[in-house]
Amino acid sequence: MIDIEVPKFNSNDTAYVLVEWLAEDGQQLKEGDPVAVIETSKAADELACEHDGILQRLVAAPADCGQGDIIAHLFASEAERQEFLAGRLAQSAPGSVADVAERLPTLTEPARLLAEQHGVQPAALSRLGLRVVREADVRRLLSEAPQSAETRTHTPNRVQRAVAAAVSQSHREIPAAFTAVVVTVDSALAAARELSERTGALIGLPELLVAVLGRLPERFPLCYGTPTPEDTLLLPEAAHVGVTVDVGRGLSAPVVKNAGERTLADVAGLLMDYRIKAMRESFQTDDLDGANILLSLNNDDDILFAQPIVFPGQTCAVSLAGVRREAVFAADGAVTPRSVAVVGLAYDHRFVNGSTAVEFLKAIKEALESPAALGVHDEEAGSDAVGR
C-alpha cells in the first residue's frame, strides 16, 4: 500500500482545499495520471499520481487539507484494496461526523479569511447551498446584504491581499535602498521593431530587459541571491525573472525561468501567455514561484520613474518606467531629440552595496543602448547573441 500525500505547493500557505477528485475508487492509475484538484490561495493545481496502483480515496471532496495529509492509498491489486476496505468497515460505526460533513460547506482559504473579516456567520454560508464556498461566493453574499447610505466599503480581492502581505513583509524586514539611471532607448526600440518583424513576436522594451537580466547573474550574483534565515545568501545558478503583470484584476508576478537561455521570441511568447492567464485568472502555482529577481513594469509613457519593493526571498527589484522624448544639446550647440526611460533598482542593503547597485544598472544601461549587445544583427537572435 502506498500513501498519496498532499505536497507543499508554495511557501505561503499552510492549508489547502481538496476541491475535487479526478479519479474514482478502484480505478487503475499509472504514474503521472491526475488524481485530484487542490486549491491554494494562489491557484488551483492538479495533484498527479507518483506511482502505479489501484486508488482508494480516504477523504470526500471538498475538504480542507494540509501539507503531508494522507488523502488516498494506492494498492497493488484489487484484492488488497478490498481487504483494506473490509478492515476499515469493521472498525467504523455509524455516527454524526459524516452527516455533519454533508451539511456544512467547505470554505477555501480566501473565502474563510473574507468571511471572518466581515463577520459572515456559518449559517449564512450554509444557506448558499454549496458544498465548496469560494471567495466569489462570499463576495456575492456581501453584495446582497443591505448597506446603510452612510456605509460604503471596499474589500481587496485575493490577489491584492497577497500583494499587501508581501509589501508589508518587505517594509518590515528588508532595509531597501534605491537608485536609478536614465537610459537612451532609441537603439533598443529600433532593435525591438527589427526583431518583431524578423520573428513575428511582439517584442518591446520589457522583453529586451528580461533578456538583459537573463545574462547578468554571473557578473552580479548578489543581485540574484536568495537570503536564508542564517543571514547568508544562496547564490544563483541562473536568472529566474519575475515580471509584474496587471490587467486590472490585481498584480501578479509570473516568472520567466532560465531567462538567459531563452530567445527573445521565447520571452515575448511567454509574457503574452502570462498576460492571457492574468485576464483569465488561470495562473498555476509553478507560474508564480521561483523568481530570484523582479522586473516591475511601470512603463506607461506618463511614468517618470517607479520605486519597486524588494520581494521577500530576493535581494533586488528592477523597475522600468515610461519612454519620453527630450532634447539634448551637442557640444556645438545643436539640439537633437532622443528617447529615454528611467531604469531603477531597489536592493536589499544587507547584501548589495551601492557601488554594486550602480555597476549593475550601468551594465543594464550599456546593454539596452547597444544593439550589438542585444544580438539584433544575428540571424537567430538567440540567447547566445543576447549574452555576448
Side-chain angles (χ1 to χ4, degrees):
M1 182 177 71
I2 299 173
D3 296 334
I4 296 180
E5 296 184 1
V6 177
K8 181 176 182 179
F9 284 95
N10 60 59
S11 58
N12 297 324
D13 295 333
T14 58
Y16 312 120
V17 174
L18 170 60
V19 177
E20 64 175 321
W21 288 100
L22 301 177
E24 300 296 326
D25 289 335
Q27 183 173 335
Q28 177 70 53
L29 298 176
K30 295 186 178 298
E31 180 181 352
D33 285 347
V35 177
V37 175
I38 307 291
E39 184 178 86
T40 72
S41 64
K42 292 182 176 180
D45 288 273
E46 286 189 357
L47 177 63
C49 191
E50 296 184 353
H51 304 275
D52 295 352
I54 298 174
L55 178 69
Q56 179 59 50
R57 302 171 297 184
L58 304 180
V59 180
D64 293 321
C65 57
Q67 179 189 355
D69 287 355
I70 298 173
I71 58 174
H73 295 315
L74 289 173
F75 295 92
S77 66
E78 178 61 20
E80 184 180 333
R81 186 178 79 91
Q82 292 298 331
E83 182 179 350
F84 167 80
L85 289 176
R88 191 180 185 193
L89 181 63
Q91 296 174 7
S92 64
S96 61
V97 175
D99 296 335
V100 172
E102 286 295 319
R103 291 196 301 268
L104 295 179
T106 297
L107 275 68
T108 66
E109 184 65 9
R112 184 187 65 79
L113 292 173
L114 186 59
E116 289 180 356
Q117 179 183 352
H118 289 272
V120 179
Q121 298 301 311
L125 297 171
S126 296
R127 285 196 294 271
L128 292 172
L130 302 172
R131 295 187 65 190
V132 178
V133 176
R134 304 177 187 276
E135 182 183 19
D137 301 317
V138 179
R139 291 190 184 284
R140 176 166 53 83
L141 191 64
L142 291 170
S143 68
E144 295 172 353
Q147 287 189 345
S148 68
E150 296 79 17
T151 303
R152 298 183 65 203
T153 62
H154 167 73
T155 302
N157 62 22
R158 178 184 65 186
V159 176
Q160 186 58 43
R161 289 201 307 274
V163 171
V167 171
S168 299
Q169 182 181 352
S170 177
H171 285 306
R172 186 171 59 247
E173 299 178 359
I174 300 174
F178 178 75
T179 190
V181 294
V182 176
V183 180
T184 302
V185 294
D186 295 282
S187 296
L189 293 173
R193 287 191 295 270
E194 182 179 341
L195 286 167
S196 297
E197 293 175 0
R198 184 190 307 169
T199 64
L202 187 60
I203 298 172
L205 283 180
E207 289 75 16
L208 295 179
L209 189 45
V210 169
V212 170
L213 292 175
R215 71 182 181 93
L216 294 177
E218 186 174 345
R219 290 176 58 190
F220 301 97
L222 300 183
C223 297
Y224 298 77
T226 302
T228 71
E230 294 77 27
D231 293 327
T232 60
L233 202 62
L234 295 177
L235 299 181
E237 296 181 356
H240 308 304
V241 184
V243 182
T244 60
V245 176
D246 190 345
V247 294
R249 301 187 178 183
L251 181 71
S252 302
V255 185
V256 180
K257 294 182 173 69
N258 299 305
E261 299 175 9
R262 296 178 180 270
T263 67
L264 282 163
D266 288 341
V267 171
L270 185 58
L271 292 185
M272 180 58 69
D273 287 343
Y274 283 155
R275 294 183 190 106
I276 293 172
K277 285 188 174 184
M279 289 187 287
R280 295 176 177 172
E281 298 182 333
S282 61
F283 282 121
Q284 299 294 307
T285 298
D286 187 59
D287 296 330
L288 303 168
D289 282 350
N292 54 18
I293 193 168
L294 176 73
L295 172 56
S296 178
L297 297 179
N298 309 92
N299 52 325
D300 187 289
D301 286 347
D302 292 328
I303 304 299
L304 180 62
F305 77 92
Q307 180 175 345
I309 67 162
V310 179
F311 270 27
Q314 301 172 23
T315 61
C316 285
V318 177
S319 62
L320 175 64
V323 175
R324 71 181 192 278
R325 297 286 286 173
E326 67 177 22
V328 180
F329 288 93
D332 60 1
V335 178
T336 58
R338 68 172 182 173
S339 298
V340 298
V342 175
V343 176
L345 180 70
Y347 53 97
D348 187 336
H349 222 325
R350 295 173 298 179
F351 302 104
V352 179
N353 289 328
S355 59
T356 301
V358 169
E359 290 304 313
F360 185 47
L361 283 172
K362 284 182 177 179
I364 294 172
K365 175 183 173 74
E366 179 183 359
L368 289 176
E369 292 183 345
S370 172
L374 294 170
V376 298
H377 299 304
D378 295 270
E379 289 185 4
E380 297 298 326
S383 58
D384 290 340
V386 172
R388 282 203 291 270

